[in-house]
Amino acid sequence: MKATEARSASSPKVIISGGGTGGHIFPAIAIANAIKARHADADILFVGANGRMEMEKVPMAGYRIEGLNIAGFQRRLTWKNLSFPFKLLKSLQRAKKIIQEFKPDVVIGVGGYASGPTLQMATKLGIPCLIQEQNSYPGVTNKILSKKVQKICVAYDGMEKFFPAEKIVFTGNPIRQDISNLENKYDEATQYFNFPSKANDNVIARANARSNPDLDCFASLAMTRKKTLLVIGGSLGARTINESLSAMLPELTKMDLQVIWQTGKNFDISTVDTEKYPNIHITQFISRMDLAYSIADFIVSRAGALSISELCVVGKPAILIPSPNVSEDHQTKNAMALVNQNAGLLVADKDVRTSLHSTISDLLNNSELQNSLSENIKKLAKTDAVERIADIIDQIRKP
């Protein structure tokens, strides 16, 4: 018994469950990294959904993961819902076996298909549990589980409307740590995204070859860097944003903008003529988001919880386009939490094709609006969320 107690005190065993999108996966990995930073010999196991993004990204981060054959219940009539009860039952059984074999000291749910069955079985088996609720409006599963878990870490005020008030801890959302400091990364970002370091190298060369003051002045203007627009529609992609941006490329070029465009995996980037638009960097996934944020002057983004939290830390003017394809329309609620503080602009998904271009143009030409959005969104930043969550984990885990 003493040996077991010593092991638990020095090397916690932790299960982290959830995933589906980067908005769930990257906070989960940030939590795991924080635990490892405190307890180098911690044993951490992820539980995800087979076939989903976490089954690839978690091992890339250096952690083990087990998969459940679980999928979400569709909120429309579809034959896929017929298999949901069977998948749920099998997932509960599989989650129970994983927990019994691994014997965790604590289980953490970060949202996503696998989180529900895992926390359901963990609470039933008497394992201390924590929910990391990222959104301003929680889903049905977390509302149900909230009655059984020990603590609920949240990122928005007013969550006692959904959860037991005595269990709520305001921590903010975990973000990728390399985003916390973007200083001195501009030159690296310029090279990474293959943008010219100056607006027009040829003009500068001609100006430097002569002693003409007018040309020297022109060269100075040429060295002024282009403004950069960062467009991130989520790891899976956002069809409305992608289609609209594709149609807008000629206009964005006329604005003299550099564009970094993350399309997500469901968009065929070969349809974009990159030779015609040399100032467009298009990719399905951005591995170095810190560099993308560092070079960006303006950001167009979906309004997932992770995106919102990162945008607050980055402090750049943002245009938010909530996804209409999420439960309880929680992305609109996330976005409105910023809009109500004059910390972001909102374009509804249904209005993207008609309004996004003018919104970008208006923001580009209004330095006063840029400054006010930047100042206000920075006030909402929480940079120590992952440490606060790690504190709670240490408090509730089995001694």
Side-chain angles (χ1 to χ4, degrees):
M1 177 65 75
K2 290 183 178 179
T4 302
E5 290 174 353
R7 180 207 60 75
S8 297
S10 63
S11 55
K13 300 192 72 172
V14 182
I15 285 179
I16 302 177
S17 183
T21 66
H24 293 306
I25 297 165
F26 296 121
I29 292 172
I31 292 171
N33 291 341
I35 295 170
K36 276 289 190 180
R38 293 187 176 202
H39 310 282
D41 52 355
D43 192 0
I44 300 174
L45 176 68
F46 280 74
V47 177
N50 285 326
R52 303 291 289 184
M53 185 179 173
E54 59 266 26
M55 303 307 291
E56 174 190 356
K57 298 300 181 184
V58 168
M60 287 175 61
Y63 295 101
R64 293 179 295 146
I65 186 167
E66 297 280 354
L68 307 180
N69 289 320
I70 183 67
F73 185 83
Q74 303 296 313
R75 286 172 170 77
R76 55 186 174 83
L77 288 176
T78 171
W79 63 269
K80 292 181 180 179
N81 283 339
L82 295 176
S83 63
F84 176 77
F86 303 100
K87 287 185 175 181
L88 177 59
L89 181 60
K90 283 192 172 183
S91 294
L92 288 167
Q93 293 171 342
R94 174 68 176 146
K96 180 178 180 180
K97 183 178 181 183
I98 291 170
I99 293 166
Q100 288 176 328
E101 291 179 351
F102 186 73
K103 297 181 174 61
D105 303 316
V106 63
V107 175
I108 303 158
V110 297
Y113 297 149
S115 184
T118 306
L119 261 67
Q120 175 67 25
M121 294 313 304
T123 57
K124 191 172 182 179
L125 293 169
I127 308 297
C129 292
L130 175 149
I131 291 174
Q132 198 271 308
E133 175 54 66
Q134 299 156 11
N135 294 296
S136 59
Y137 195 95
V140 174
T141 300
N142 277 356
K143 289 179 187 177
I144 295 171
L145 289 169
S146 68
K147 299 176 177 63
K148 304 176 182 180
V149 303
Q150 276 62 45
K151 292 292 180 180
I152 306 158
C153 296
V154 303
Y156 293 91
D157 293 324
M159 298 303 285
E160 63 275 2
K161 292 180 293 186
F162 313 109
F163 300 136
E166 68 277 7
K167 296 184 179 183
I168 295 174
V169 183
F170 186 89
T171 59
N173 279 328
I175 63 168
R176 290 169 277 199
Q177 291 306 297
D178 57 359
I179 290 169
S180 298
N181 184 4
L182 301 180
E183 293 183 10
N184 303 318
K185 290 187 176 182
Y186 180 83
D187 289 341
E188 183 183 358
T190 297
Q191 295 178 6
Y192 184 85
F193 293 108
N194 199 30
F195 289 141
S197 58
K198 306 176 185 64
N200 193 323
D201 288 328
N202 292 330
V203 170
I204 294 167
R206 290 199 303 271
N208 288 337
R210 304 183 183 186
S211 58
N212 188 320
D214 292 333
L215 285 177
D216 289 340
C217 179
F218 189 29
S220 177
L221 289 172
M223 282 189 277
T224 302
R225 68 179 181 86
K226 290 179 182 290
K227 295 289 186 178
T228 302
L229 172 69
L230 171 62
V231 181
I232 40 179
S235 54
L236 301 179
R239 186 177 66 178
T240 311
I241 296 176
N242 286 335
E243 290 178 353
S244 299
L245 198 71
S246 184
M248 285 168 49
L249 289 180
E251 296 301 320
L252 293 175
T253 300
K254 290 178 183 178
M255 292 182 194
D256 203 28
L257 282 172
Q258 294 177 156
V259 180
I260 301 171
W261 176 11
Q262 176 181 287
T263 66
K265 69 176 186 178
N266 295 326
F267 183 83
D268 183 3
I269 62 177
S270 67
T271 61
V272 178
D273 186 352
T274 53
E275 291 187 3
K276 185 177 180 181
Y277 303 107
N279 289 324
I280 307 295
H281 179 95
I282 181 170
T283 181
Q284 289 188 330
F285 184 79
I286 301 173
S287 298
R288 292 293 304 274
M289 281 303 301
D290 59 319
L291 297 183
Y293 283 132
S294 72
I295 198 173
D297 295 286
F298 322 99
I299 300 170
V300 172
S301 175
R302 283 300 199 200
L306 174 65
S307 297
I308 294 287
S309 297
E310 290 187 346
L311 291 172
C312 291
V313 172
V314 169
K316 305 287 180 77
I319 300 169
L320 304 169
I321 305 173
S323 171
N325 305 314
V326 295
S327 61
E328 315 294 345
D329 195 26
H330 67 252
Q331 285 204 8
T332 296
K333 296 177 177 68
N334 291 346
M336 289 305 300
L338 266 61
V339 173
N340 290 337
Q341 298 290 327
N342 296 315
L345 304 177
L346 186 145
V347 175
D349 190 81
K350 64 182 178 61
D351 298 328
V352 167
R353 291 180 174 86
T354 57
S355 301
L356 181 58
H357 174 266
S358 60
T359 305
I360 292 173
S361 179
D362 291 346
L363 180 58
L364 175 66
N365 295 306
N366 190 334
S367 58
E368 184 177 344
L369 178 60
Q370 294 170 29
N371 292 334
S372 64
L373 290 175
S374 182
E375 290 174 6
N376 290 333
I377 198 170
K378 285 178 182 177
K379 295 175 184 176
L380 304 177
K382 301 292 180 185
T383 59
D384 61 346
V386 72
E387 290 300 322
R388 292 172 179 239
I389 293 170
D391 287 340
I392 303 302
I393 292 168
D394 279 341
Q395 289 174 20
I396 70 170
R397 69 183 176 90
K398 286 183 178 180

